[in-house]
Amino acid sequence: MPSGFHLHCSLLAFIIYGLVFQVHELQSAPLNVTGPPGPITVAMGEDVVLPCRVSPEQSVQDIEVIWFREHFSPFVHRYKGGQDQYGEQMLQYQGRTELLKDSLTNGSMDLKIFHVQLSDRGNYTCFVHRDSDYDEAVVELKVTASGSAPLIALERYQDGGIRVACRSAGWYPQPQVLWQDPHGQHLPSLSESVTRDKSGLFAVESSIILTRGTNQKLSCSVRHALHSQEQGSAFYISDPFFQNAHPWMTALGVALVAVVALLVIAVYLFKIKVNVVLDPDTAHCDLVLSDDCKSVKREDTRQDIPDIPERFNPWRCVLGREGFTSGRCYWEVEAVDGGGWTVGVSREDVKRKGEIEFKPEEGIWAVGQWAGHFQALTSPNRTLLPEIQTPKRIRVSLDYEEGRVAFFSVDEEIPIFTFPLASFEGMRVHPWVWLGPGTWLKMWP
Protein backbone atom coordinates (compact mmCIF):
# COMPACT_ATOMS: atom_id res chain seq x y z
CA MET A 1 0.00 0.00 0.00
CA PRO A 2 1.16 3.57 -0.49
CA SER A 3 3.16 5.04 2.40
CA GLY A 4 0.75 8.01 2.56
CA PHE A 5 -2.09 5.67 3.42
CA HIS A 6 -0.09 4.12 6.29
CA LEU A 7 0.77 7.62 7.55
CA HIS A 8 -2.90 8.64 7.44
CA CYS A 9 -4.01 5.52 9.38
CA SER A 10 -1.30 6.04 11.98
CA LEU A 11 -2.32 9.67 12.50
CA LEU A 12 -6.00 8.69 12.83
CA ALA A 13 -5.14 5.96 15.37
CA PHE A 14 -3.07 8.43 17.37
CA ILE A 15 -5.96 10.92 17.49
CA ILE A 16 -8.43 8.23 18.58
CA TYR A 17 -6.03 7.00 21.26
CA GLY A 18 -5.56 10.54 22.53
CA LEU A 19 -9.32 11.13 22.78
CA VAL A 20 -9.87 7.83 24.61
CA PHE A 21 -7.02 8.64 26.98
CA GLN A 22 -8.45 12.11 27.72
CA VAL A 23 -11.92 10.70 28.39
CA HIS A 24 -10.41 8.09 30.71
CA GLU A 25 -8.42 10.79 32.52
CA LEU A 26 -11.56 12.95 32.83
CA GLN A 27 -13.60 10.09 34.26
CA SER A 28 -10.87 9.09 36.67
CA ALA A 29 -10.09 12.63 37.84
CA PRO A 30 -10.96 13.03 41.55
CA LEU A 31 -14.15 14.84 42.43
CA ASN A 32 -13.79 18.38 43.76
CA VAL A 33 -16.88 19.87 45.42
CA THR A 34 -16.92 23.55 46.39
CA GLY A 35 -19.43 25.85 48.05
CA PRO A 36 -19.74 29.65 48.20
CA PRO A 37 -16.92 31.66 49.85
CA GLY A 38 -19.19 32.90 52.64
CA PRO A 39 -22.61 32.45 54.27
CA ILE A 40 -25.85 32.79 52.32
CA THR A 41 -28.31 35.21 53.97
CA VAL A 42 -32.06 35.27 53.31
CA ALA A 43 -35.10 36.92 54.90
CA MET A 44 -37.60 34.62 56.60
CA GLY A 45 -40.44 33.63 54.25
CA GLU A 46 -38.42 34.07 51.04
CA ASP A 47 -36.88 31.39 48.79
CA VAL A 48 -33.14 30.73 48.77
CA VAL A 49 -30.64 28.86 46.55
CA LEU A 50 -27.68 27.12 48.24
CA PRO A 51 -24.81 26.94 45.69
CA CYS A 52 -22.68 23.80 45.24
CA ARG A 53 -20.35 23.08 42.34
CA VAL A 54 -18.53 19.88 41.32
CA SER A 55 -15.57 19.60 38.99
CA PRO A 56 -14.84 18.08 36.61
CA GLU A 57 -18.38 18.11 35.23
CA GLN A 58 -20.15 14.75 35.58
CA SER A 59 -22.87 12.81 33.82
CA VAL A 60 -26.10 13.37 35.72
CA GLN A 61 -26.85 9.63 35.51
CA ASP A 62 -23.58 8.61 37.18
CA ILE A 63 -23.65 10.76 40.31
CA GLU A 64 -25.52 10.89 43.59
CA VAL A 65 -26.09 14.22 45.36
CA ILE A 66 -27.20 14.38 48.99
CA TRP A 67 -27.84 17.62 50.88
CA PHE A 68 -28.00 17.04 54.64
CA ARG A 69 -27.75 18.86 57.98
CA GLU A 70 -26.09 17.39 61.09
CA HIS A 71 -26.91 13.79 60.18
CA PHE A 72 -26.54 12.01 56.86
CA SER A 73 -30.01 10.50 57.25
CA PRO A 74 -32.74 11.65 57.17
CA PHE A 75 -31.57 14.08 54.49
CA VAL A 76 -32.68 17.51 53.26
CA HIS A 77 -32.70 16.44 49.59
CA ARG A 78 -31.33 13.49 47.59
CA TYR A 79 -30.76 13.04 43.86
CA LYS A 80 -29.67 9.70 42.37
CA GLY A 81 -29.92 7.97 39.01
CA GLY A 82 -31.22 11.10 37.35
CA GLN A 83 -34.19 11.39 39.76
CA ASP A 84 -35.10 13.01 43.08
CA GLN A 85 -35.44 10.58 45.99
CA TYR A 86 -37.84 11.48 48.82
CA GLY A 87 -37.99 8.25 50.83
CA GLU A 88 -35.99 9.47 53.85
CA GLN A 89 -36.41 13.22 53.57
CA MET A 90 -36.60 15.29 56.76
CA LEU A 91 -40.19 16.16 57.65
CA GLN A 92 -39.63 19.92 57.80
CA TYR A 93 -38.35 20.00 54.18
CA GLN A 94 -41.04 17.89 52.55
CA GLY A 95 -42.51 19.79 49.61
CA ARG A 96 -40.03 22.66 50.14
CA THR A 97 -36.86 21.63 48.25
CA GLU A 98 -35.78 21.34 44.63
CA LEU A 99 -32.45 20.46 43.02
CA LEU A 100 -32.04 22.90 40.13
CA LYS A 101 -31.63 20.43 37.29
CA ASP A 102 -31.18 22.98 34.48
CA SER A 103 -27.62 23.58 35.65
CA LEU A 104 -26.66 19.98 36.53
CA THR A 105 -24.83 19.43 33.24
CA ASN A 106 -22.68 22.48 34.03
CA GLY A 107 -21.53 20.98 37.32
CA SER A 108 -23.90 22.93 39.58
CA MET A 109 -25.71 20.94 42.30
CA ASP A 110 -27.62 23.96 43.65
CA LEU A 111 -30.45 23.33 46.12
CA LYS A 112 -33.49 25.63 46.30
CA ILE A 113 -35.45 25.87 49.56
CA PHE A 114 -38.90 27.47 49.41
CA HIS A 115 -40.45 29.69 52.11
CA VAL A 116 -37.43 29.71 54.42
CA GLN A 117 -38.18 29.30 58.13
CA LEU A 118 -36.13 30.42 61.09
CA SER A 119 -35.40 26.77 61.91
CA ASP A 120 -33.71 26.37 58.49
CA ARG A 121 -30.68 28.42 59.58
CA GLY A 122 -27.38 26.58 60.05
CA ASN A 123 -24.89 24.50 58.07
CA TYR A 124 -25.79 22.33 55.07
CA THR A 125 -23.47 19.73 53.55
CA CYS A 126 -23.45 19.15 49.80
CA PHE A 127 -22.25 15.53 49.37
CA VAL A 128 -21.48 14.31 45.84
CA HIS A 129 -20.77 10.62 45.14
CA ARG A 130 -19.60 8.87 41.95
CA ASP A 131 -18.59 5.21 41.95
CA SER A 132 -16.07 4.92 44.82
CA ASP A 133 -15.15 8.61 44.77
CA TYR A 134 -16.85 11.37 46.76
CA ASP A 135 -16.34 14.88 48.10
CA GLU A 136 -18.39 17.40 50.06
CA ALA A 137 -18.68 21.10 50.84
CA VAL A 138 -20.42 22.99 53.65
CA VAL A 139 -22.77 25.93 53.02
CA GLU A 140 -23.91 28.17 55.89
CA LEU A 141 -27.42 29.63 55.72
CA LYS A 142 -28.29 32.68 57.81
CA VAL A 143 -31.96 33.64 58.22
CA THR A 144 -33.10 37.12 59.17
CA ALA A 145 -36.45 38.66 60.12
CA SER A 146 -37.37 42.35 60.22
CA GLY A 147 -39.89 43.09 62.94
CA SER A 148 -42.69 45.57 63.48
CA ALA A 149 -42.44 49.34 63.64
CA PRO A 150 -41.71 50.46 67.23
CA LEU A 151 -44.77 51.00 69.43
CA ILE A 152 -44.38 54.02 71.73
CA ALA A 153 -46.17 53.79 75.09
CA LEU A 154 -46.44 56.51 77.76
CA GLU A 155 -46.28 54.45 80.94
CA ARG A 156 -46.29 56.68 84.05
CA TYR A 157 -44.84 59.72 85.82
CA GLN A 158 -41.44 58.92 87.34
CA ASP A 159 -38.53 60.90 88.82
CA GLY A 160 -39.94 64.26 87.78
CA GLY A 161 -40.59 63.17 84.21
CA ILE A 162 -42.59 60.77 82.08
CA ARG A 163 -41.48 57.17 81.58
CA VAL A 164 -41.79 56.18 77.90
CA ALA A 165 -41.36 52.67 76.52
CA CYS A 166 -40.44 51.59 72.99
CA ARG A 167 -41.50 48.06 71.96
CA SER A 168 -41.02 46.00 68.80
CA ALA A 169 -41.32 42.27 68.00
CA GLY A 170 -40.67 39.78 65.22
CA TRP A 171 -36.88 40.23 64.79
CA TYR A 172 -34.01 37.85 64.12
CA PRO A 173 -31.25 38.00 65.12
CA GLN A 174 -31.59 40.16 68.22
CA PRO A 175 -31.88 43.83 67.11
CA GLN A 176 -30.48 46.99 68.65
CA VAL A 177 -32.76 49.65 70.16
CA LEU A 178 -31.60 53.27 69.90
CA TRP A 179 -33.02 56.49 71.39
CA GLN A 180 -32.08 59.72 69.56
CA ASP A 181 -32.66 63.40 70.19
CA PRO A 182 -33.60 65.82 67.35
CA HIS A 183 -29.88 66.30 66.59
CA GLY A 184 -29.25 62.60 66.07
CA GLN A 185 -27.40 62.13 69.36
CA HIS A 186 -27.89 58.76 71.04
CA LEU A 187 -29.41 58.80 74.53
CA PRO A 188 -28.92 56.13 77.22
CA SER A 189 -31.94 54.03 78.09
CA LEU A 190 -33.28 53.54 81.60
CA SER A 191 -33.92 49.81 81.14
CA GLU A 192 -33.95 47.21 78.38
CA SER A 193 -35.47 43.73 78.08
CA VAL A 194 -35.32 41.04 75.41
CA THR A 195 -37.64 38.03 75.06
CA ARG A 196 -38.14 35.28 72.44
CA ASP A 197 -41.36 33.68 71.30
CA LYS A 198 -41.94 30.00 70.51
CA SER A 199 -40.67 30.39 66.95
CA GLY A 200 -37.43 31.99 68.12
CA LEU A 201 -38.16 35.58 67.08
CA PHE A 202 -36.99 38.39 69.36
CA ALA A 203 -39.13 41.05 71.03
CA VAL A 204 -37.35 44.05 72.54
CA GLU A 205 -38.39 46.82 74.92
CA SER A 206 -36.47 49.88 76.04
CA SER A 207 -37.55 52.64 78.44
CA ILE A 208 -36.42 56.22 78.97
CA ILE A 209 -37.56 59.12 81.18
CA LEU A 210 -38.49 62.37 79.45
CA THR A 211 -38.24 65.71 81.24
CA ARG A 212 -39.66 69.08 80.26
CA GLY A 213 -37.60 71.14 77.86
CA THR A 214 -34.61 68.82 77.59
CA ASN A 215 -35.79 65.88 75.52
CA GLN A 216 -39.48 66.27 74.83
CA LYS A 217 -38.94 65.39 71.16
CA LEU A 218 -37.34 61.98 70.59
CA SER A 219 -37.23 59.05 68.22
CA CYS A 220 -36.87 55.35 68.87
CA SER A 221 -35.41 53.07 66.21
CA VAL A 222 -34.91 49.31 66.15
CA ARG A 223 -32.00 48.31 63.94
CA HIS A 224 -31.27 44.95 62.32
CA ALA A 225 -28.01 43.35 63.48
CA LEU A 226 -26.94 41.95 60.07
CA HIS A 227 -27.74 44.90 57.81
CA SER A 228 -28.69 48.55 57.96
CA GLN A 229 -32.46 48.06 57.79
CA GLU A 230 -34.35 49.59 60.71
CA GLN A 231 -37.83 50.59 61.88
CA GLY A 232 -38.35 53.91 63.64
CA SER A 233 -40.97 56.05 65.35
CA ALA A 234 -40.73 59.69 66.46
CA PHE A 235 -42.88 61.52 69.03
CA TYR A 236 -43.24 64.74 70.98
CA ILE A 237 -44.78 65.43 74.39
CA SER A 238 -46.09 68.95 75.01
CA ASP A 239 -45.52 71.00 78.17
CA PRO A 240 -48.91 70.47 79.89
CA PHE A 241 -48.01 66.82 80.49
CA PHE A 242 -45.03 67.92 82.61
CA GLN A 243 -46.91 70.14 85.01
CA ASN A 244 -45.93 69.67 88.64
CA ALA A 245 -49.30 68.51 89.86
CA HIS A 246 -50.01 66.57 93.06
CA PRO A 247 -50.23 62.81 92.59
CA TRP A 248 -54.01 62.77 93.02
CA MET A 249 -54.40 65.55 90.46
CA THR A 250 -52.15 63.69 88.03
CA ALA A 251 -54.17 60.52 88.52
CA LEU A 252 -57.41 62.43 88.06
CA GLY A 253 -56.08 64.07 84.89
CA VAL A 254 -54.99 60.75 83.43
CA ALA A 255 -58.36 59.22 84.32
CA LEU A 256 -60.22 62.11 82.67
CA VAL A 257 -58.10 61.78 79.54
CA ALA A 258 -58.84 58.05 79.44
CA VAL A 259 -62.58 58.63 79.89
CA VAL A 260 -62.63 61.26 77.15
CA ALA A 261 -60.66 58.94 74.86
CA LEU A 262 -63.11 56.10 75.50
CA LEU A 263 -66.04 58.43 74.83
CA VAL A 264 -64.47 59.52 71.55
CA ILE A 265 -63.89 55.89 70.61
CA ALA A 266 -67.44 55.01 71.61
CA VAL A 267 -68.92 57.86 69.54
CA TYR A 268 -66.81 56.76 66.59
CA LEU A 269 -67.33 53.03 66.84
CA PHE A 270 -70.97 52.95 67.87
CA LYS A 271 -72.25 54.86 64.88
CA ILE A 272 -74.29 52.22 63.01
CA LYS A 273 -74.27 48.55 63.90
CA VAL A 274 -74.95 46.44 60.81
CA ASN A 275 -76.27 42.92 60.48
CA VAL A 276 -73.69 40.97 58.46
CA VAL A 277 -74.91 37.98 56.44
CA LEU A 278 -72.25 35.93 54.65
CA ASP A 279 -72.44 35.37 50.89
CA PRO A 280 -72.37 31.61 50.05
CA ASP A 281 -71.49 32.38 46.41
CA THR A 282 -68.10 33.72 47.56
CA ALA A 283 -67.30 31.00 50.14
CA HIS A 284 -64.52 28.51 49.37
CA CYS A 285 -65.83 24.99 48.84
CA ASP A 286 -64.25 23.85 52.16
CA LEU A 287 -66.28 26.42 54.13
CA VAL A 288 -69.69 25.39 55.48
CA LEU A 289 -72.15 28.22 56.24
CA SER A 290 -75.00 27.95 58.72
CA ASP A 291 -78.60 28.06 57.47
CA ASP A 292 -78.89 31.75 58.35
CA CYS A 293 -75.42 32.48 56.85
CA LYS A 294 -74.39 34.10 60.15
CA SER A 295 -71.58 31.66 60.98
CA VAL A 296 -69.00 29.71 58.98
CA LYS A 297 -66.85 26.67 59.74
CA ARG A 298 -63.88 25.28 57.88
CA GLU A 299 -64.43 21.56 57.35
CA ASP A 300 -61.68 20.84 54.75
CA THR A 301 -64.15 18.52 53.05
CA ARG A 302 -64.74 19.69 49.52
CA GLN A 303 -68.42 20.39 48.83
CA ASP A 304 -69.88 19.64 45.42
CA ILE A 305 -70.58 23.23 44.43
CA PRO A 306 -69.67 25.07 41.20
CA ASP A 307 -66.40 27.02 41.13
CA ILE A 308 -68.01 30.25 39.91
CA PRO A 309 -65.89 33.41 39.34
CA GLU A 310 -67.11 34.98 42.61
CA ARG A 311 -65.87 32.06 44.74
CA PHE A 312 -62.49 32.14 46.52
CA ASN A 313 -60.09 29.35 45.53
CA PRO A 314 -57.72 28.11 46.94
CA TRP A 315 -57.81 30.52 49.94
CA ARG A 316 -60.56 29.70 52.50
CA CYS A 317 -62.23 33.12 52.45
CA VAL A 318 -65.79 34.42 52.36
CA LEU A 319 -67.33 37.89 51.98
CA GLY A 320 -70.34 39.53 53.54
CA ARG A 321 -73.32 39.62 51.19
CA GLU A 322 -73.95 43.36 51.57
CA GLY A 323 -71.21 45.89 50.83
CA PHE A 324 -70.79 49.57 51.68
CA THR A 325 -70.10 52.63 49.53
CA SER A 326 -70.67 55.33 52.17
CA GLY A 327 -71.18 56.04 55.84
CA ARG A 328 -69.85 54.71 59.14
CA CYS A 329 -70.69 51.28 60.46
CA TYR A 330 -69.39 48.40 62.55
CA TRP A 331 -70.02 44.69 63.16
CA GLU A 332 -68.59 42.01 65.44
CA VAL A 333 -66.96 38.64 64.72
CA GLU A 334 -66.48 35.90 67.30
CA ALA A 335 -63.87 33.15 66.99
CA VAL A 336 -65.82 30.29 68.54
CA ASP A 337 -63.27 27.55 67.91
CA GLY A 338 -60.13 26.67 65.97
CA GLY A 339 -56.68 28.06 65.29
CA GLY A 340 -55.73 30.69 62.72
CA TRP A 341 -58.19 33.30 61.45
CA THR A 342 -58.29 36.86 60.14
CA VAL A 343 -61.18 39.32 59.99
CA GLY A 344 -61.61 42.69 58.32
CA VAL A 345 -62.81 44.24 55.07
CA SER A 346 -61.98 43.94 51.40
CA ARG A 347 -62.81 45.82 48.23
CA GLU A 348 -65.28 44.15 45.92
CA ASP A 349 -62.57 43.72 43.24
CA VAL A 350 -60.34 41.64 45.54
CA LYS A 351 -58.68 38.73 43.74
CA ARG A 352 -60.68 35.51 44.12
CA LYS A 353 -58.52 32.91 42.32
CA GLY A 354 -54.91 31.79 42.72
CA GLU A 355 -52.39 33.30 45.12
CA ILE A 356 -53.64 36.25 47.19
CA GLU A 357 -51.56 38.49 49.44
CA PHE A 358 -53.53 39.71 52.44
CA LYS A 359 -52.52 43.37 52.48
CA PRO A 360 -54.04 46.80 51.73
CA GLU A 361 -52.42 47.01 48.28
CA GLU A 362 -54.48 43.96 47.29
CA GLY A 363 -57.67 45.46 48.74
CA ILE A 364 -57.67 43.72 52.15
CA TRP A 365 -57.47 45.39 55.60
CA ALA A 366 -57.49 42.81 58.40
CA VAL A 367 -56.14 41.62 61.75
CA GLY A 368 -56.05 38.13 63.19
CA GLN A 369 -54.30 35.14 64.63
CA TRP A 370 -51.83 34.25 61.86
CA ALA A 371 -48.79 31.92 62.01
CA GLY A 372 -49.00 31.76 65.81
CA HIS A 373 -49.07 35.55 66.31
CA PHE A 374 -51.83 38.09 66.76
CA GLN A 375 -51.04 40.72 64.15
CA ALA A 376 -52.28 43.34 61.74
CA LEU A 377 -51.81 42.41 58.09
CA THR A 378 -49.95 45.56 57.12
CA SER A 379 -47.48 46.04 54.27
CA PRO A 380 -44.62 45.58 53.52
CA ASN A 381 -44.24 43.83 56.91
CA ARG A 382 -46.89 42.50 59.25
CA THR A 383 -47.37 44.45 62.50
CA LEU A 384 -47.17 42.12 65.49
CA LEU A 385 -49.40 43.08 68.44
CA PRO A 386 -47.68 41.39 71.40
CA GLU A 387 -49.34 43.70 73.93
CA ILE A 388 -52.83 42.61 72.85
CA GLN A 389 -54.21 39.36 74.19
CA THR A 390 -55.80 37.57 71.24
CA PRO A 391 -59.51 38.46 71.55
CA LYS A 392 -62.33 36.00 71.08
CA ARG A 393 -64.63 38.74 69.82
CA ILE A 394 -63.54 41.62 67.57
CA ARG A 395 -65.40 44.71 66.47
CA VAL A 396 -64.63 45.86 62.92
CA SER A 397 -65.25 49.56 62.29
CA LEU A 398 -65.46 51.17 58.84
CA ASP A 399 -65.61 54.85 57.90
CA TYR A 400 -65.93 54.77 54.12
CA GLU A 401 -65.60 58.50 53.37
CA GLU A 402 -62.57 58.96 55.61
CA GLY A 403 -61.02 55.67 54.47
CA ARG A 404 -60.54 54.39 58.02
CA VAL A 405 -60.58 50.74 59.10
CA ALA A 406 -60.24 50.16 62.85
CA PHE A 407 -60.48 47.17 65.19
CA PHE A 408 -61.63 46.96 68.81
CA SER A 409 -61.42 44.13 71.37
CA VAL A 410 -64.89 43.48 72.74
CA ASP A 411 -63.36 41.19 75.41
CA GLU A 412 -61.15 43.86 77.00
CA GLU A 413 -62.95 46.96 75.66
CA ILE A 414 -59.77 48.42 74.20
CA PRO A 415 -58.69 49.57 70.70
CA ILE A 416 -56.56 47.01 68.82
CA PHE A 417 -55.31 48.62 65.62
CA THR A 418 -56.18 51.32 63.10
CA PHE A 419 -54.87 51.18 59.54
CA PRO A 420 -53.48 54.30 57.84
CA LEU A 421 -56.19 56.14 55.93
CA ALA A 422 -56.97 54.45 52.64
CA SER A 423 -58.85 55.23 49.43
CA PHE A 424 -61.46 52.67 48.43
CA GLU A 425 -61.53 54.22 44.95
CA GLY A 426 -65.32 54.39 44.93
CA MET A 427 -65.63 50.59 45.07
CA ARG A 428 -67.96 48.68 47.34
CA VAL A 429 -66.33 47.35 50.52
CA HIS A 430 -67.45 44.05 52.07
CA PRO A 431 -66.87 42.29 55.41
CA TRP A 432 -64.16 39.64 54.84
CA VAL A 433 -62.82 36.66 56.81
CA TRP A 434 -60.25 33.91 56.31
CA LEU A 435 -60.38 30.67 58.31
CA GLY A 436 -57.54 28.36 59.30
CA PRO A 437 -57.97 24.60 59.79
CA GLY A 438 -60.86 23.71 62.13
CA THR A 439 -61.86 27.34 62.71
CA TRP A 440 -65.46 28.45 63.33
CA LEU A 441 -66.39 32.15 63.11
CA LYS A 442 -69.70 33.72 64.05
CA MET A 443 -71.06 37.11 63.01
CA TRP A 444 -72.85 39.31 65.57
CA PRO A 445 -75.63 40.25 65.97
Side-chain angles (χ1 to χ4, degrees):
M1 294 185 182
S3 59
F5 177 78
H6 286 288
L7 179 62
H8 176 76
C9 291
S10 299
L11 182 60
L12 181 61
F14 178 77
I15 293 173
I16 293 174
Y17 173 79
L19 290 174
V20 171
F21 179 78
Q22 288 183 1
V23 170
H24 175 74
E25 286 294 310
L26 181 62
Q27 289 178 342
S28 61
L31 287 176
N32 181 30
V33 178
T34 56
I40 303 296
T41 302
V42 63
M44 189 173 70
E46 295 184 357
D47 303 339
V48 68
V49 174
L50 303 183
C52 175
R53 185 166 185 82
V54 60
S55 60
E57 298 171 4
Q58 307 292 317
S59 167
V60 295
Q61 293 292 334
D62 298 337
I63 64 170
E64 178 182 17
V65 183
I66 298 179
W67 282 88
F68 65 92
R69 300 288 299 269
E70 292 83 2
H71 305 289
F72 194 76
S73 179
F75 51 77
V76 176
H77 194 95
R78 183 184 183 190
Y79 177 85
K80 183 179 181 181
Q83 293 183 342
D84 295 307
Q85 310 286 331
Y86 297 105
E88 299 177 18
Q89 188 177 33
M90 295 175 66
L91 182 63
Q92 75 180 82
Y93 293 99
Q94 291 181 4
R96 297 178 52 233
T97 62
E98 176 188 0
L99 198 70
L100 300 182
K101 301 176 183 60
D102 291 343
S103 56
L104 281 176
T105 55
N106 298 325
S108 295
M109 310 295 159
D110 301 345
L111 178 71
K112 186 171 186 178
I113 303 177
F114 299 91
H115 308 299
V116 170
Q117 306 167 3
L118 194 59
S119 58
D120 293 334
R121 70 190 189 279
N123 290 334
Y124 291 75
T125 300
C126 174
F127 178 89
V128 182
H129 176 233
R130 182 202 63 194
D131 298 329
S132 61
D133 196 10
Y134 65 88
D135 195 18
E136 62 185 37
V138 176
V139 181
E140 182 184 0
L141 176 62
K142 292 186 176 181
V143 181
T144 67
S146 297
S148 59
L151 175 66
I152 304 297
L154 305 183
E155 292 190 320
R156 60 180 178 271
Y157 288 97
Q158 181 177 334
D159 300 334
I162 299 175
R163 183 184 176 109
V164 181
C166 174
R167 305 184 180 101
S168 182
W171 293 86
Y172 192 88
Q174 179 179 330
Q176 181 183 18
V177 183
L178 299 173
W179 293 95
Q180 291 180 306
D181 65 15
H183 305 291
Q185 298 295 318
H186 290 173
L187 301 174
S189 61
L190 177 68
S191 64
E192 293 185 0
S193 65
V194 180
T195 58
R196 298 183 73 173
D197 60 20
K198 294 180 180 179
S199 63
L201 296 175
F202 287 94
V204 292
E205 178 177 336
S206 179
S207 298
I208 196 170
I209 294 180
L210 276 66
T211 55
R212 175 189 292 181
T214 57
N215 53 5
Q216 293 175 231
K217 184 177 182 181
L218 290 180
S219 66
C220 172
S221 60
V222 184
R223 181 172 299 170
H224 208 290
L226 293 183
H227 48 75
S228 59
Q229 183 177 358
E230 65 179 41
Q231 298 269 22
S233 297
F235 62 98
Y236 176 82
I237 298 181
S238 58
D239 281 340
F241 286 93
F242 292 96
Q243 58 185 340
N244 297 319
H246 295 290
W248 68 269
M249 293 181 65
T250 301
L252 178 61
V254 171
L256 288 174
V257 170
V259 169
V260 171
L262 287 175
L263 288 175
V264 170
I265 293 171
V267 169
Y268 176 77
L269 292 179
F270 289 87
K271 192 66 176 177
I272 301 176
K273 190 171 186 178
V274 295
N275 182 24
V276 173
V277 176
L278 300 174
D279 185 355
D281 288 341
T282 66
H284 184 276
C285 59
D286 287 350
L287 302 183
V288 178
L289 274 60
S290 61
D291 292 339
D292 61 359
C293 293
K294 296 285 293 179
S295 65
V296 56
K297 187 173 184 179
R298 177 169 168 176
E299 296 284 2
D300 284 335
T301 301
R302 191 178 187 88
Q303 301 178 85
D304 186 17
I305 52 179
D307 187 16
I308 57 179
E310 295 82 6
R311 193 177 309 283
F312 285 94
N313 188 17
W315 288 94
R316 276 71 171 182
C317 305
V318 60
L319 298 180
R321 181 178 295 165
E322 302 299 328
F324 310 99
T325 56
S326 63
R328 295 178 178 178
C329 60
Y330 77 94
W331 60 93
E332 295 176 2
V333 185
E334 180 180 358
V336 181
D337 194 10
W341 50 267
T342 59
V343 302
V345 303
S346 78
R347 289 199 311 260
E348 192 168 45
D349 67 339
V350 68
K351 189 177 179 182
R352 311 291 176 95
K353 308 296 183 184
E355 288 298 319
I356 309 172
E357 292 190 63
F358 297 168
K359 59 183 183 180
E361 288 84 347
E362 299 297 325
I364 295 175
W365 295 261
V367 301
Q369 184 72 11
W370 179 281
H373 302 283
F374 186 61
Q375 55 189 287
L377 306 187
T378 51
S379 177
N381 298 313
R382 305 278 171 77
T383 300
L384 300 181
L385 304 171
E387 303 301 318
I388 305 294
Q389 182 177 355
T390 303
K392 290 292 185 182
R393 194 162 167 178
I394 287 184
R395 184 170 301 142
V396 185
S397 175
L398 171 67
D399 185 332
Y400 190 95
E401 281 80 6
E402 191 173 351
R404 186 184 301 275
V405 181
F407 299 87
F408 189 86
S409 171
V410 179
D411 304 344
E412 300 187 31
E413 299 182 348
I414 59 172
I416 294 176
F417 187 81
T418 300
F419 277 86
L421 298 183
S423 172
F424 301 126
E425 302 175 3
M427 295 185 183
R428 189 173 297 273
V429 174
H430 292 260
W432 172 92
V433 297
W434 168 85
L435 289 82
T439 301
W440 179 20
L441 297 179
K442 185 177 181 180
M443 316 303 292
W444 288 88

